[in-house]
Each structure stands twice: as C-alpha cells, then as structure tokens.
Amino acid sequence: MLDPMLKAFIERIPKTELHCHLEGAIQPATLLNLAARNGIELPFSDEAGARKFYEFTSLNQFLEIFALACSTLKTAADFETITLDLGADASRQGISYREVFFTYAYHQRRGISWDEVVKGIAAGREKARQMYGVEMWFIADIDRTIDPQDGVQTVEMAYASRDVAGIIGVGLDSQEIDYPARRQKPAYDRAKELGLHRVAHAGEDVGPESVWDALESLEVERIDHGVRSIDDPKLVKLLVERQIPLTVCPLSNIELKVYPNLAAHPVKRLRDAGVLVTLNSDDPPMFHCDVLDNYFAVTDTFGLSLEEVEDFVRNSFRATFQAQSEKDSYLKRFDETAAELKAELWGM
Ligand code: HPA
Ligand code: ZN
C-alpha cells in the first residue's frame, strides 16, 4: 500500500504534465452536456455508462472512441468549455503547468474550421490562467494517417495561431501501425524552419523502429510514450546520451494492453537506465486515471523512494518547452515546496 505521507507529498507538490489530449480529457458529465447541446447521440446516457463504455482492447479501438468524443465539439464555446475544464482539473491535481495536444484532423473531417477551434482554446486558456493560475500551452498534433500535404497545412495554421492560442509546437498521434512517422517529414521540416517545437507519439503500438523513425526522419525533441524503446539497447543508449525526454503514460499503456500490468511496464527500468522519463495521464477519463493516479500507481508498484518521486516530478519541469529562466523559476518553487513538505510530513 502506498505510504500516506508519500501520497500527500505527491498530491501537494507542484507538478507539470506534458502528455494530455484536450479531446481525450473531456469528463463524462461535460461530454453528455456537449452532446445534448449539439444534438449528438452517444451510446451511453449517464456518467457511469460512459465509464463502462471506455473499455479497449487496442489503440485503434480507442481511437474510434476518441473520434466519438470529438464529435460532440462544434463551436468555439465548446472548445472553450473543455479547455477551461482542463485548467480546473490541473488546479485540482496541483499541476501548475501543462502542455496539451489537440488534433485538428478529427475536427476538419467534420467541417469545423481551424479558427473555431483555436478561438475556443485561446479563450479557455486565458480564463484558466485567470481563474486557476494554471499555465497551459498547446501542441498541434498531426494525425499520422492524413495526407502529408494536410500535415504541412496544419503546421502553417499552428504557426499563424501561435500567439493567439499559445501553440508552441507540433506533434504526431493516432494510428501508428502502417503509418510511419517519415510520411509526415514535410510537415516537420516546415515546423523546424518556423521554429516550432517538435514531438511525436511513437513506440506505443509499434516497437523501437518507430521511435528511430521519429528521431531520424522528424528530428523530434521529445517522444510521447516511447516505452517500447526498452527493446533496443542502442536506442536506450541514444535517449540517455541525448537526454531526449519520454512522456510516459503508464496506466494508458496498461488500458491499451501495451503491457499486461504495471509490474511488467518498463517505466522504472527506463528511468534506472538514465532516460529522462516523465509521468503523464494521456486521456484521463478514457483511461480511468489522472496524473496523480499515475504517480500513485508507479510509486506503489515499484516501491519508489521520496527521492525517486522527486526526480520524476523534476524531470517533467526539465522537459517542458519553456525558456530556461522559466524552468528555473518553476524548479525553484518546486524545491521550496518540497523542503516545506518534507519538514511538515517527515520532520526532515
Ligand atoms: N496514442 C495515439 N493517439 C492518441 C493517443 C495515444 O496515446 N491519445 C489520443 N490519441
Ligand atoms: Zn497520447
């Protein structure tokens, strides 16, 4: 059982999250409201039904349900609602800084304009900052399966909206099997030219070769998931040498059957090998967990020490796309709060 002191420390220490999808984070109650507001039929009618409905056997099955959640979003007001909700949720968990994905392809397919999406994100982001003091920045994810020309267009739109909606980079998500990262190289070359940060989901549904592909073809700065890198010692060595962060979502990986259980998950082995591993939630309600749950479960399963917990949190602050001076001030606040909590909880 998780030590109650360690649990309190995890709850109260300032944290950051770097792998969370805006559309995958819609809480069931909000989803039901949005569906009612926009006349969308859902295959469940209450919150308990939603929770039960979120059962997956694969990434591709999950993506169908992700698309269903997206179908409830129509107007800028809808995007504002879910962005503000994410700010409230961050505040509840002690997350002071969050980098959040959104995937325009799922909205474009339904005829929603880019401007409608970013207008809502911009408004929700500003309100979240005012109401909760939570800082959120956005990463425009390219759906791996889209036409590479549309990938380039996503980058151009992300760049044009960078100031209005706080878009700091581009990412890659959705179906990993059959859609290698290199397909979207034109988009990533353009993102590099424009000075946008670059990340990609890889090494979740496909093995280490997918991580190599993202690193070599797209020159990404972080890998989302990346857990299957563990199967290639040469790749692990490179991740360590270059300190390329992995945004790991352990409980998501269990729900999507990447690993049968947490004890079999490589999160601790990667960390012990020297990889810069961060802990994240991915699509919280869909995977029946939040950031705290991921910390609790990893701490409990692997018997993490206080120092190891601190290390994971510190890694997340180190891996953000903030300027070094901003990182330093977040880390300073982290160190101060950690010292206060250690004195209060353990008399240290
Ligand atoms: N992997 C791929 N695509 C996704 C994910 C993920 O974890 N979450 C939302 N879209
Ligand atoms: Zn993800």
Side-chain angles (χ1 to χ4, degrees):
M1 212 200 73
L2 181 59
D3 171 32
M5 305 284 222
L6 211 42
K7 184 167 184 279
F9 182 85
I10 292 167
E11 283 166 344
R12 292 168 60 188
I13 195 77
K15 290 167 289 295
T16 184
E17 186 181 37
L18 306 175
H19 187 155
C20 181
H21 298 259
L22 179 67
E23 302 92 335
I26 309 171
Q27 292 297 334
T30 306
L31 196 64
L32 290 160
N33 283 336
L34 289 169
R37 188 148 107 189
N38 291 320
I40 303 292
E41 251 201 81
L42 292 173
F44 44 81
S45 55
D46 57 23
E47 293 179 51
R51 269 185 275 276
K52 265 218 217 114
F53 188 74
Y54 296 150
E55 286 287 334
F56 318 102
T57 55
S58 68
L59 174 62
N60 288 357
Q61 194 201 6
F62 161 77
L63 291 170
E64 282 173 28
I65 295 173
F66 185 87
L68 176 77
C70 288
S71 75
T72 64
L73 299 162
K74 285 210 168 139
T75 66
D78 299 338
F79 285 91
E80 177 180 336
T81 298
I82 62 171
T83 306
L84 182 57
D85 275 5
L86 209 51
D89 170 77
S91 168
R92 174 186 65 78
Q93 297 187 75
I95 296 169
S96 47
Y97 178 93
R98 207 167 206 180
E99 289 175 12
V100 181
F101 303 119
F102 70 103
T103 312
Y104 178 57
Y106 285 83
H107 314 304
Q108 186 169 30
R109 281 180 200 121
R110 302 177 295 110
I112 313 287
S113 76
W114 172 271
D115 286 348
E116 198 74 17
V117 175
V118 294
K119 210 166 106 189
I121 288 176
R125 173 178 185 253
E126 194 45 46
K127 277 195 187 159
R129 182 184 282 146
Q130 284 168 15
M131 291 170 70
Y132 307 109
V134 171
E135 188 76 25
M136 290 195 283
W137 293 82
F138 287 82
I139 295 176
D141 265 7
I142 296 167
D143 177 334
R144 273 178 186 260
T145 67
I146 66 173
D147 187 289
Q149 271 318 310
D150 292 337
V152 175
Q153 204 202 351
T154 306
V155 171
E156 298 290 355
M157 293 187 295
Y159 182 73
S161 304
R162 67 195 183 287
D163 291 334
V164 61
I167 299 174
I168 44 169
V170 296
L172 190 70
D173 67 17
S174 300
Q175 190 179 331
E176 194 176 358
I177 292 174
D178 294 336
Y179 291 91
R182 57 184 172 274
R183 281 184 76 248
Q184 300 294 343
K185 182 171 166 49
Y188 277 72
D189 286 348
R190 184 68 182 136
K192 188 180 179 185
E193 251 170 42
L194 293 170
L196 287 168
H197 288 290
R198 285 150 288 132
V199 301
H201 282 58
E204 177 191 25
D205 220 19
V206 176
E209 65 274 24
S210 175
V211 179
W212 281 116
D213 188 23
L215 289 172
E216 290 178 340
S217 312
L218 308 185
E219 298 180 54
V220 296
E221 300 157 78
R222 280 195 319 234
I223 296 282
D224 300 311
H225 295 298
V227 286
R228 291 177 62 181
S229 302
I230 195 76
D231 298 330
D232 180 348
K234 228 175 109 189
L235 177 57
V236 172
K237 188 164 170 272
L238 181 86
L239 295 174
V240 175
E241 276 170 9
R242 290 180 30 196
Q243 285 293 286
I244 295 165
L246 302 187
T247 65
V248 175
C249 310
L251 295 177
S252 156
N253 295 153
I254 306 312
E255 294 254 332
L256 292 186
K257 326 282 188 230
V258 181
Y259 296 98
N261 54 57
L262 204 50
H265 192 285
V267 58
K268 179 75 160 57
R269 280 178 285 147
L270 286 163
R271 182 252 175 218
D272 289 349
V275 179
L276 204 164
V277 175
T278 68
L279 296 179
N280 308 273
S281 68
D282 211 1
D283 304 274
M286 294 189 174
F287 296 133
H288 313 95
C289 67
D290 57 20
V291 176
L292 292 175
D293 294 326
N294 276 275
Y295 272 93
F296 296 156
V298 170
T299 303
D300 192 24
T301 302
F302 297 100
L304 297 189
S305 65
L306 172 62
E307 289 71 30
E308 286 170 324
V309 170
E310 283 187 272
D311 218 37
F312 273 117
V313 183
R314 217 179 258 119
N315 276 353
S316 286
F317 283 111
R318 284 173 58 207
T320 70
F321 286 136
Q322 293 183 296
Q324 192 58 48
S325 59
E326 288 285 310
K327 287 191 196 193
D328 290 345
S329 79
Y330 272 99
L331 280 164
K332 184 162 173 279
R333 215 171 315 147
F334 169 89
D335 285 336
E336 286 164 2
T337 312
E340 282 165 22
L341 288 173
K342 283 187 222 176
E344 182 191 325
L345 295 166
W346 290 281
M348 284 158 94

